[in-house]
Each structure stands twice: as structure tokens, then as C-alpha cells.
Amino acid sequence: MIDQGRVLLVDDEAMVREATAQWLELSGFSVECFSRAEQALERIDPFCPGILLTDVRMPGMDGLELMTEALKRAPDLPVILLTAHGDVDMATAAMREGAYDFIEKPFVPERLVERIRRACEKRRLMLENLRLQQSLASRSVLEARLIGISPAIQRLRRELLALAELDTNVIIYGETGTGKELVAQCLHEYSIRGKKQFVPINCGAIPENLIESELFGHEAGAFTHAAKRRIGKFEYASGGTLFLDEIESMPLHLQIKLLRALQEHVIERLGSNTLIPVDLRVVAAAKVDLRGDPNFREDLFYRLSVSELHIPPLRERIEDVPLLFAHYAGRGADEHDREARQLSDHDLDALQSYAWPGNVRELKNIAIRYAVDPRASVAELLSRQTPLISAPLAGRQTLSLAVRVAEYESQLIREALERHQGNIKAVMDELDLPRRTLNQKMQRYGLNRSDFTAQ
């Protein structure tokens, strides 16, 4: 049988309540019965599905008082009143106060069912509209925080909103500077835990001998200098979200304790034998794929990686660069009381031809410098980033293939310029590059012909 809707039925007379509930259930409704108005009121919130069907005359809180309080909690909730014959005038007045309908006792069951069916349909449409409005509002706010029009960032926003509804652990993958903590914050804020605390901790920034205390806390005297009890991040985040950044750097011995905490939902402070229950969502972030990593426990990986989000690097959504740059430059101008600057075509070309190895973090830094220095062009500011691009490849194996290719390309062009002492024609011939392409690459890597010209 198709579910016709949900009914909260309130009546202090047991026989009437049971008979009405039985008839409604046979008609396809899901019924929850209450003998007192106060009990029903606890089940009502703005997203309460179904309708309220209540007797008017009851001991304690009566049906009219229940209706008034229910409509404060859920203004669009349809309320149908069951009234005695002499209460018609009062019920009519109640409809002016927000009641959906009333029906006199004794009532014809078929008539009651039809009125409840219409009320449930109205409630269903109201809830769909409310959820749509909230979804649109969430997307609008999210677009203002995760800025961009590229397919990659649009996909990330969709996946984030879908995951926010699930109270599962998540791993966020992304290169340095892509905004992993911002994504984790958004995931928390749009989740059912959004009104609770968001607690971040960078596993790679805390000394190995202190990270266990940071996560699980300690009792006074647990170790040298532990003068008093300390509440750890796990305990402090209970009810909310714990964000473990750079999870790949967590020591193996601590991974075992983290796994136990996630499995058992309890922790022990250092120096204590007391188990403390915790209820939280863990969002972890990593720069590298943890799947198959010999330095990361497989069982912990599967406990954390119930869901995954992948943040695209900036070079894979280059069409978002002008929007992001304008956003951060505008904020920088406001914060430093400077007049906002307009990007020229030359500036836009420089922005979109740069490799952005530092991702959004690097872009934000350049944008603020652009906002506060009216004499500097984007190309000039990017040229000062040369050390980041042209640093030796040795010891930088964690960088992506695209960044390492860009570094190698920069090195080849630099060496050709040195060999030919800045002779652009000779460099073009050696590297088999058109003049425009060579100019763009030199601009991208901050290479100036005058630096190589023979004195």
C-alpha cells in the first residue's frame, strides 16, 4: 500500500485514539499516537513530516494551546482539530489563528480520511519547497566560498553537498594550497553537526612526542610538565567534526590508537584508565593517495575512507583563476583601504599562463600583493615567484607531474638563454618554438631576456 502520509494523533480518550489510529492505518497513513499534548509537541520541528490531528478538549495543555505552540515550531504544519458539536464557533476562530481544518465528533471516517489526505499532500509540497529553498541557499553560499565556474569545481560542490547529508568519515585529497581545510569546514557546516564545533589539527605540524596528548588529552602528572589535566581534540570535538590535516604524517604507533578510537567511539587520556565516549565525524586530509601506502595502516585507511573528495589543483581549472584573483584582490583592497584595481588583458594572460604550483594559497598571496602595490603588474609579481618554480628537482618528489614538467621546461629555456646570451632568435631555433609561445613561457617562468644578454 502506498504511504499516504504521517499523522501525529493526540486524544486523551484511549478508545477514540485507538479506533481512529486503526482506521487511518488501514487507509494507508502512518500514525503516531499520544495521550497528552506535551508528548506530541516534542516531536514537532520545521521539517516534521505529516500533519497534526488533535482533540480540542483535553486535560493539561488543550488542543488549541497545542496548535499555538506547534505553529511556533513549524509555521506551515497543517493542524486539524477534532471538536465536539458545541465547539464549532471556537474551531472556526481557530482556523483564523492558523488551523488547517476542523471536524466534528462523531465524524464519518471516510470524510476524516479525505481531509487528512489533502492536508498530508499540502504538507509534502511545503516540505519539498522548503528543502529546495534551503538547497538553493546552501548552493549560493557554497559558491561564494568555493569560487569557480569550471566543471571540476562545480563537481566538487555537488559532491560536497551530497556528502554533507551523510554522517560518515571522509578523506579529502588535494595538493598543498588547494583549500582542504576550507572544504572540510564547508562539509561540517552543511552537515547535521554544523551547529557544533569544528576542530582542526595538523598532524604534520605537531612534534611526535606531543601529538598523542593533543589528540587524546592527558591527566595531571601523566608525563613531565603535565601540571594539570588537558582535554584532547577528540574529546573537545565530540558532537562535531574533527579535521585531521596531513594524516599521512601520523606515526604508525598512533595510527593504532586512532583506529581504536574510531572503532570503539571511546578514548583514554594519557595517564588514565577511564574510557571516555566520543561521538564525532572525522574528516582527514592528505596530499598523497593513502591506498597501498606502506606507512599507513590499511585498516585505518578503510575506516577513514568511507567517502572521498578530490580537490582539483588550480592548473586543472585555469578558467577559475580570474574569478579567484579578483575575489582575493578585492578583499585585499578593502582590508588595506586601497582602491580596487582592474585587471588588464596582459594581466589576465599572465594569470592564465602561469602554472600555479602553490595553488589557491599562492594565488591569494599574489592577489593581495597586487591590491596593495598599485605599481606592480601581475607579470612582475609572478616573476618574483621564480625560486618556487626553478628550484632543483631533487628532494621534491611529492610535487605533481605537471609541476615537475613545468620546472624542467623552465630549466631548459633558462639554459638556452644562457647559451645564446639572450638571443631570442637562436633560442627559438634551438627549441623549435614560435616567438609568441616562447614569450608566453618566458613570462610564465619569470625569465627576462635582459638578464642573459652579454654585457
Side-chain angles (χ1 to χ4, degrees):
M1 181 181 293
I2 298 175
D3 185 9
Q4 299 288 341
R6 181 174 174 224
V7 179
L8 301 180
L9 171 60
V10 188
D11 199 309
D12 61 311
E13 296 184 40
M15 290 182 62
V16 174
R17 187 172 64 244
E18 291 169 7
T20 304
Q22 185 177 27
W23 184 267
L24 293 176
E25 288 171 349
L26 289 172
S27 301
F29 295 97
S30 172
V31 184
E32 192 170 358
C33 295
F34 305 92
S35 60
R36 295 174 52 247
E38 293 85 353
Q39 296 171 334
L41 194 59
E42 294 176 0
R43 305 303 300 271
I44 295 172
D45 60 50
F47 289 95
C48 174
I51 65 133
L52 175 63
L53 175 65
T54 179
D55 190 17
V56 173
R57 296 189 180 277
M58 296 183 293
M61 179 184 285
D62 65 24
L64 295 179
E65 292 173 318
L66 172 59
M67 180 192 76
T68 300
E69 292 301 316
L71 292 178
K72 287 180 182 178
R73 301 186 181 195
D76 296 321
L77 180 70
V79 179
I80 298 178
L81 302 173
L82 297 174
T83 68
H85 178 69
D87 293 333
V88 172
D89 291 341
M90 175 266 293
T92 303
M95 290 187 67
R96 291 195 293 268
E97 298 298 320
Y100 174 78
D101 204 349
F102 72 92
I103 190 165
E104 293 180 70
K105 294 180 178 179
F107 48 79
V108 177
E110 291 83 2
R111 187 179 176 195
L112 177 65
V113 165
E114 182 55 33
R115 293 192 181 186
I116 292 176
R117 183 177 288 115
R118 289 202 302 267
C120 284
E121 177 62 16
K122 179 182 179 181
R123 181 62 174 163
R124 184 185 65 79
L125 293 173
M126 284 178 176
L127 288 176
E128 283 184 4
N129 186 52
L130 182 59
R131 290 192 183 97
L132 178 60
Q133 289 175 350
Q134 287 207 333
S135 176
L136 291 174
S138 296
R139 289 179 184 277
S140 177
V141 173
L142 190 59
E143 286 173 6
R145 299 189 68 186
L146 299 180
I147 298 169
I149 57 173
S150 65
I153 200 68
Q154 291 183 49
R155 181 172 59 253
L156 175 63
R157 288 195 293 257
R158 287 195 303 271
E159 291 174 350
L160 188 152
L161 287 173
L163 277 182
E165 297 179 0
L166 307 176
D167 197 31
T168 59
N169 296 333
V170 180
I171 293 184
I172 299 173
Y173 289 107
E175 296 177 4
T176 298
T178 50
K180 294 186 288 294
E181 184 167 344
L182 173 60
V183 169
Q185 284 178 330
C186 292
L187 194 60
H188 166 73
E189 290 168 11
Y190 293 120
S191 74
I192 60 174
R193 300 179 182 270
K195 296 188 182 299
K196 301 293 185 178
Q197 56 271 28
F198 173 81
V199 182
I201 181 169
N202 190 316
C203 302
I206 301 173
E208 187 172 333
N209 61 329
L210 295 179
I211 190 169
E212 185 172 357
S213 172
E214 282 291 319
L215 283 174
F216 304 118
H218 63 253
E219 297 289 348
F223 52 85
T224 306
H225 305 306
K228 59 182 181 180
R229 172 186 288 176
R230 175 184 172 85
I231 300 299
K233 301 297 187 185
F234 253 86
E235 192 174 347
Y236 181 64
S238 189
T241 301
L242 177 65
F243 175 54
L244 300 175
D245 199 5
E246 297 191 26
I247 187 72
E248 69 272 20
S249 63
M250 181 173 284
L252 276 170
H253 76 275
L254 197 57
Q255 292 178 30
I256 299 172
K257 294 192 174 184
L258 175 59
L259 176 64
R260 180 172 180 266
L262 294 177
Q263 288 176 333
E264 306 297 333
H265 303 287
V266 294
I267 57 106
E268 287 180 56
R269 300 192 195 109
L270 287 174
S272 171
N273 294 319
T274 304
L275 295 177
I276 301 171
V278 290
D279 170 34
L280 47 75
R281 181 188 207 178
V282 174
V283 177
K287 297 190 292 291
V288 296
D289 192 344
L290 300 176
R291 190 178 285 100
D293 186 338
N295 296 314
F296 201 83
R297 291 180 62 95
E298 185 178 27
D299 47 6
L300 177 58
F301 167 75
Y302 286 114
R303 177 65 62 174
L304 289 170
S305 188
V306 179
S307 303
E308 295 181 2
L309 281 175
H310 294 262
I311 306 178
L314 204 49
R315 64 183 173 276
E316 291 182 6
R317 55 183 188 111
I318 206 70
E319 60 265 58
D320 294 336
V321 168
L323 284 173
L324 285 162
F325 193 89
H327 170 74
Y328 288 117
R331 276 178 45 179
D334 289 341
E335 290 170 3
H336 294 87
D337 197 23
R338 296 298 178 93
E339 186 176 346
R341 299 175 60 190
Q342 296 295 318
L343 289 167
S344 67
D345 290 343
H346 185 65
D347 288 330
L348 290 171
D349 287 342
L351 286 173
Q352 294 188 293
S353 60
Y354 184 61
W356 297 109
N359 290 295
V360 178
R361 184 180 296 149
E362 181 185 16
L363 179 143
K364 180 180 179 180
N365 180 272
I366 296 293
I368 293 173
R369 285 157 60 188
Y370 175 81
V372 299
D373 186 355
R375 298 167 299 176
S377 68
V378 171
E380 290 169 340
L381 292 172
L382 291 177
S383 70
R384 302 172 194 172
Q385 301 297 101
T386 304
L388 180 63
I389 297 176
S390 58
L393 291 177
R396 304 187 68 202
Q397 284 79 10
T398 57
L399 292 179
S400 68
L401 175 62
V403 173
R404 281 185 262 171
V405 168
E407 291 179 329
Y408 183 57
E409 185 177 58
S410 170
Q411 184 178 339
L412 289 178
I413 296 173
R414 176 184 293 276
E415 291 172 352
L417 286 165
E418 288 174 347
R419 275 194 299 275
H420 298 291
Q421 298 182 328
N423 185 323
I424 297 297
K425 179 66 168 65
V427 174
M428 289 165 51
D429 292 341
E430 178 183 332
L431 300 179
D432 193 23
L433 289 174
R435 178 62 179 260
R436 177 178 175 81
T437 302
L438 179 60
N439 286 344
Q440 287 177 340
K441 290 182 182 295
M442 288 175 62
Q443 182 179 8
R444 181 187 308 169
Y445 301 130
L447 301 173
N448 298 309
R449 175 180 174 274
S450 58
D451 294 337
F452 303 94
T453 305
Q455 302 298 318

